[in-house]
Amino acid sequence: MTEQDLEAAKILADKIHVNFPEDMDVFVERLRLYPQGCLVLAEEGRLVGYALTHPWRFGEPPPLNSRLGAIPRNATTYYLHDVALLPETRGRGHAARGVERLVDKARSEGFGNLSLVAVNRSQAFWERMGFRAVSHAGLETKLASYGVDAVLMVQDLGRTGD
């Protein structure tokens, strides 16, 4: 993702996440703080998907539509804030390949896991991608802001030498 992609990514987000809008400054800040974790997918010159990811603290997902301020030095998870595809592009393997790329990235940066909050009835998809639902003390209120079906999920990564 580049600065030139931000407007198109925001338009996509508004189409895909109708019930979970985020302001442009969220996208701008994520790109500024962790550009290597901001990705786009284009087909025939048109943006059809994106991902916003970054290191974070496990069990403390950032509230929706909020700025991070900084990437924590004590990050304990590679957090997938948003992975989104236009509905008409689904079923072509884009999401699975994207998740594989993110898993490789997390592993190469030394993280032992990836985490996310599954929304919009996406838990089954994430389970197929190797994630599992977890509960975390005190998280219920924050998860409620993500919707009634929101669930914290994690994928543990095997580390070399473990």
Side-chain angles (χ1 to χ4, degrees), residues 95-105 129:
R97 284 189 299 278
V99 171
E100 288 172 12
R101 183 173 176 183
L102 295 170
V103 166
D104 290 344
K105 178 162 190 39
M129 295 295 104

Side-chain angles (χ1 to χ4, degrees), residues 81-142:
H81 175 76
D82 195 1
V83 177
L85 287 171
L86 284 175
E88 61 266 23
T89 65
R90 294 177 188 161
R92 300 181 191 167
H94 295 314
R97 284 189 299 278
V99 171
E100 288 172 12
R101 183 173 176 183
L102 295 170
V103 166
D104 290 344
K105 178 162 190 39
R107 189 173 278 126
S108 74
E109 292 190 17
F111 287 97
N113 67 71
L114 292 91
S115 63
L116 58 90
V117 175
V119 298
N120 293 332
R121 298 176 305 280
S122 64
Q123 182 175 347
F125 165 79
W126 291 109
E127 287 171 346
R128 287 191 306 275
M129 295 295 104
F131 287 76
R132 62 183 166 79
V134 294
S135 58
H136 201 272
L139 197 55
E140 297 80 17
T141 301
K142 188 180 278 188

Side-chain angles (χ1 to χ4, degrees), residues 9-19 46 86-88:
K10 174 71 168 91
I11 290 169
L12 245 125
D14 291 344
K15 285 182 183 178
I16 296 168
H17 301 304
V18 176
N19 296 322
R46 175 177 78 107
L86 284 175
E88 61 266 23

Side-chain angles (χ1 to χ4, degrees), residues 50-68:
Y50 68 90
L52 300 176
T53 68
H54 52 82
W56 201 247
R57 293 177 298 274
F58 181 76
E60 300 177 26
L64 286 177
N65 200 29
S66 66
R67 296 178 62 170
L68 302 177

Side-chain angles (χ1 to χ4, degrees), residues 5-94:
D5 297 316
L6 287 170
E7 186 175 334
K10 174 71 168 91
I11 290 169
L12 245 125
D14 291 344
K15 285 182 183 178
I16 296 168
H17 301 304
V18 176
N19 296 322
F20 306 103
E22 291 195 290
D23 297 332
M24 177 61 93
D25 65 337
V26 171
F27 287 78
V28 170
E29 186 199 45
R30 296 297 198 283
L31 183 61
R32 180 180 55 78
L33 290 176
Y34 202 72
Q36 63 271 39
C38 299
L39 310 169
V40 295
L41 174 66
E43 281 187 345
E44 300 174 10
R46 175 177 78 107
L47 194 68
V48 297
Y50 68 90
L52 300 176
T53 68
H54 52 82
W56 201 247
R57 293 177 298 274
F58 181 76
E60 300 177 26
L64 286 177
N65 200 29
S66 66
R67 296 178 62 170
L68 302 177
I71 300 296
R73 290 190 177 149
N74 61 342
T76 55
T77 190
Y78 193 80
Y79 185 70
L80 309 185
H81 175 76
D82 195 1
V83 177
L85 287 171
L86 284 175
E88 61 266 23
T89 65
R90 294 177 188 161
R92 300 181 191 167
H94 295 314

